[in-house]
Amino acid sequence: MILEGFPMEHLNEIAAAFRQASIPCAAREPLSRHTSFQIGGPAALFCEPQNKRQLARAIAVCRQAGVPVTVYAEPYDTPVDAQRIAAHLAADPSIHIGEVLGNIECNGLSVTAQAGAALAKVCIAAANEGLSGLEFAYGIPGCVGGAVYMNAGAYGGEIKDVLACATFLDETG
């Protein structure tokens, strides 16, 4: 069976590698369980790494197999986005980072947040600490990782204006 140009046996090999690395995964996981509107068919292969090391390993396994992978953090905010993205996720291995990789810490005058942290929650954490500067981002849907990747902005503010540093996983791992 061919799915989006790569053999299904690749997915079985990837699933075996995920299990060997203790990365939770499931074939044909209904994406409706992971979207805010409960829509979306089954993912070819769905995994939820429990830490940064597992995330790096999951991405490396997919790259070594030459299989495209989709990493996402938060359920989608509109039915159109959910349908479009869920269709894409159904064809590729899907890596869901969500709340497991969504820690937020406030330290004095700074906030540190992982990629899976909802942007609105980061704004609230900053406000609760009496910090300003993230007000523009409160209404932006999505998570920190995506916001940094695309330099999310609204109301005259952009992530680049408040970002001091970022640690990221690139194509080479």
Side-chain angles (χ1 to χ4, degrees), residues 117-129:
L119 199 52
K121 288 182 180 180
V122 175
C123 295
I124 291 169
N128 287 343
E129 292 293 314

Side-chain angles (χ1 to χ4, degrees), residues 98-172:
E99 290 187 24
V100 171
L101 291 169
N103 293 329
I104 303 167
E105 293 180 18
C106 295
N107 304 308
L109 297 177
S110 68
V111 177
T112 301
Q114 290 182 308
L119 199 52
K121 288 182 180 180
V122 175
C123 295
I124 291 169
N128 287 343
E129 292 293 314
L131 302 175
S132 64
L134 279 172
E135 295 83 0
F136 74 90
Y138 181 75
I140 299 174
C143 294
V144 170
V148 170
Y149 180 78
M150 63 174 279
N151 188 33
Y155 310 109
E158 296 177 280
I159 293 296
K160 70 171 179 62
D161 299 331
V162 296
L163 181 67
C165 68
T167 302
F168 62 94
L169 183 65
D170 68 8
E171 303 81 36
T172 64

Side-chain angles (χ1 to χ4, degrees), residues 3 26-32 39-46 86-92 94:
L3 185 63
R28 313 287 298 155
E29 170 74 10
L31 292 170
S32 59
I39 60 176
L45 183 63
F46 181 87
H88 179 68
L89 293 176
D92 300 337
S94 303

Side-chain angles (χ1 to χ4, degrees), residues 18-83:
F18 285 172
R19 286 187 202 92
Q20 186 176 18
S22 300
I23 302 169
C25 69
R28 313 287 298 155
E29 170 74 10
L31 292 170
S32 59
R33 294 180 185 165
H34 308 279
T35 61
S36 54
F37 284 94
Q38 284 82 46
I39 60 176
L45 183 63
F46 181 87
C47 83
E48 290 187 294
Q50 301 300 296
N51 54 51
K52 291 185 283 188
R53 192 181 79 240
Q54 285 187 353
L55 173 60
R57 180 69 185 134
I59 292 171
V61 164
C62 292
R63 292 202 175 170
Q64 289 167 357
V67 174
V69 63
T70 300
V71 178
Y72 76 101
E74 188 174 87
Y76 316 106
D77 296 302
T78 66
V80 173
D81 283 348
Q83 288 174 336

